[in-house]
Amino acid sequence: MRGQPSESAVTPVGGPLPPPAPAREAPGRLLTSPACPPVPADPSGTPAPPPAAPRDTRPPTPTPTPTPSRRSRPPEERSSIGPDHDLPAAVERVLAEHLAERRQEAARISDRFAADIVTLLADFVLGGGKRLRPAFLWWAWRACGGPPSGDDAEAVLRAAAALELIQACALIHDDLMDGSPLRRNAPAAHVVLARRHRAAGLRGDPGAFGAGAALLAGDLALAWADDLWHGAGLAPSAQRRARGPWQAMRTEMVAGQYLDLYGQARGGGSAAAALEVAHLKSGLYTVERPLHLGAVLAGAPDATVAALRRAGRAAGLAFQLRDDLLGVFGSPDRTGKPAGEDITEGKPTYLMAVALRRARARGDAAVERELLAALGSPGLTGARLDRVRSLVTATGARAHVERVMERLVGSALDTLDRAPLERTAVRHLSGLARSFVPGPPP
């Protein structure tokens, strides 16, 4: 999802998070605050305030043979490759089984619905993705003493897989709202459904049909995420501990998506507001909440949960800032999206806010006007897009954002280092966080 973020300073359920451990000297790293990782000052202006911590709050196809649920299979029939060995494969198995079961149920309601919507959703969910969100949840569970196998571990794996269905909902709806034609170098869901309408010679507007059907596919993904979570087999005590963050995460994601949509309609916006949106729209549900969920499912002490959340805030914000860079500088081969899509859609990202602020601070009105004119310009391709990229780089905004990302990831690594966590799991979590540090120019 091209990002996600909110705009009111509220306190998490249960009151403010405990204060962090005393800061340890770490050259080149920026340590987190209890509320949110700080962002270094832009030399051309005042520091951008960090985001506030949100409140916890084709014709019908034959129906496939039903697949027994993973938990209903005897242990000897389950895969011998556990999540610790290959977590993406383990998540993939859970998702495939869950979606096969749900498709069978859907076909009993309507073959057309199953063929058109459920099959599209299953293909989308199983058609790619790094499974980042389940990975953060699983390794937080392991870092807090959760076992690698057994019934409890199996339940946590299934709960973690539910995050991929939330992600599917977010991506399908995001592409629809942005009018984006591509996702993962393939037609977006609303485009696929519009083409089917046209090919079948149905009445009405294919675009409107595709939009409405894609909206339903995203809704279905969200509903089935909740079904998978609540049917995962979690112990009642673990389910109770996770109820708050699970509920808050879904609301935060929708709030962030709306604020992103509102920001595009409003135009402009400050760097601080862009960070709030980045935090809510993507950082929270990608990193912080999965870590939070894994920790509470394992029954971790409050101080350990708070440390993982601090690390997650820093790494999650770095993740979205990296996504913002790719949205301007990334190639379609790497992003699976059209080149420069954030610019053509007029996304009010932190990167563009910093570029505009720096242009204003230097008194370069011509550069500021050119950048503002480019935002939301759908015909921006080729040489014009290269020109905007060069202007953003020349203002120093790209280098500034890359430095912010490095410091945020360093902060997350420091927090993980200090926390009383299982070391092997910390190495996995640290590796995931390091993947958010900018590499060579795309």
Side-chain angles (χ1 to χ4, degrees):
M1 181 168 193
R2 277 249 30 80
Q4 263 163 258
S6 146
E7 318 329 39
S8 55
V10 291
T11 305
V13 170
L17 294 176
R24 186 179 62 184
E25 289 295 327
R29 294 183 176 181
L30 185 66
L31 298 178
T32 55
S33 74
C36 195
V39 174
D42 180 342
S44 68
T46 57
R55 187 185 302 274
D56 271 338
T57 49
R58 67 196 117 127
T61 53
T63 302
T65 302
T67 305
S69 71
R70 185 173 173 83
R71 286 186 65 80
S72 68
R73 295 176 177 179
E76 62 271 14
E77 291 184 17
R78 297 179 185 174
S79 173
S80 60
I81 300 177
D84 277 7
H85 178 74
D86 190 343
L87 182 61
V91 170
E92 199 83 1
R93 289 194 302 272
V94 170
L95 290 170
E97 291 165 359
H98 181 65
L99 290 168
E101 292 167 359
R102 301 318 299 270
R103 192 194 187 287
Q104 182 194 19
E105 294 169 6
R108 289 198 291 267
I109 300 170
S110 164
D111 282 342
R112 172 59 61 193
F113 172 63
D116 291 358
I117 299 299
V118 178
T119 298
L120 177 138
L121 176 58
D123 289 347
F124 184 84
V125 171
L126 301 174
K130 298 178 180 177
R131 312 307 186 202
L132 275 176
R133 293 155 190 84
F136 278 112
L137 191 155
W138 175 260
W139 290 114
W141 155 265
R142 297 285 288 113
C144 295
S149 60
D151 286 346
D152 286 343
E154 179 70 16
V156 169
L157 175 64
R158 289 177 62 80
L163 297 179
E164 285 299 295
L165 290 168
I166 289 183
Q167 168 72 342
C169 165
L171 294 179
I172 291 171
H173 285 174
D174 191 62
D175 290 342
L176 175 59
M177 286 184 283
D178 290 342
S180 182
L182 294 175
R183 171 67 61 179
R184 298 169 182 163
N185 278 321
H190 63 281
V191 175
V192 171
L193 291 160
R195 289 178 180 175
R196 290 181 184 173
H197 176 286
R198 192 176 295 110
L202 302 179
R203 293 185 301 173
D205 176 49
F209 175 88
L215 180 65
L216 294 174
D219 290 347
L220 188 65
L222 188 60
W224 284 0
D226 209 44
D227 292 345
L228 182 54
W229 175 271
H230 290 293
L234 297 167
S237 58
Q239 187 88 271
R240 284 193 298 272
R241 291 193 298 269
R243 183 180 298 123
W246 172 256
Q247 291 175 342
M249 176 184 65
R250 292 173 298 159
T251 303
E252 290 157 358
M253 183 192 74
V254 175
Q257 188 64 53
Y258 171 73
L259 293 169
D260 184 48
L261 191 67
Y262 181 82
Q264 287 177 249
R266 180 189 57 198
S270 67
L275 285 176
E276 286 185 286
V277 172
H279 176 60
L280 257 188
K281 186 185 178 201
S282 187
L284 263 171
Y285 96 97
T286 296
V287 186
E288 182 182 343
R289 288 301 187 191
L291 290 175
H292 188 182
L293 288 165
V296 297
L297 288 175
D302 289 348
T304 302
V305 174
L308 280 167
R309 292 193 64 186
R310 287 195 298 273
R313 288 196 190 106
L317 191 52
F319 170 82
Q320 182 53 46
L321 295 183
R322 178 178 176 273
D323 205 40
D324 291 347
L325 283 175
L326 290 173
V328 174
F329 296 100
S331 67
D333 287 344
R334 181 173 182 181
T335 64
K337 304 281 284 179
E341 191 174 51
D342 274 7
I343 299 173
T344 59
E345 291 175 359
K347 293 276 186 179
T349 64
Y350 179 67
L351 172 69
M352 293 305 295
V354 170
L356 288 167
R357 185 171 66 190
R358 283 172 166 251
R360 284 193 296 271
R362 295 174 181 180
D364 201 333
V367 169
E368 183 182 3
R369 282 196 303 271
E370 193 167 351
L371 290 175
L372 285 171
L375 285 172
S377 176
L380 196 70
T381 57
R384 288 186 64 203
L385 178 58
D386 288 341
R387 167 67 177 168
V388 172
R389 288 167 167 165
S390 68
L391 290 177
V392 171
T393 301
T395 65
R398 177 175 182 168
H400 173 74
V401 171
E402 288 175 344
R403 288 193 299 271
V404 170
M405 292 163 62
E406 289 168 356
R407 294 174 185 178
L408 288 168
V409 170
S411 173
L413 297 177
D414 280 345
T415 303
L416 291 171
D417 250 3
R418 293 193 301 265
L421 301 168
E422 196 277 326
R423 292 296 100 188
T424 298
V426 166
R427 286 196 292 273
H428 283 277
L429 290 173
S430 297
L432 290 169
R434 287 191 185 97
S435 71
F436 303 155
V437 175

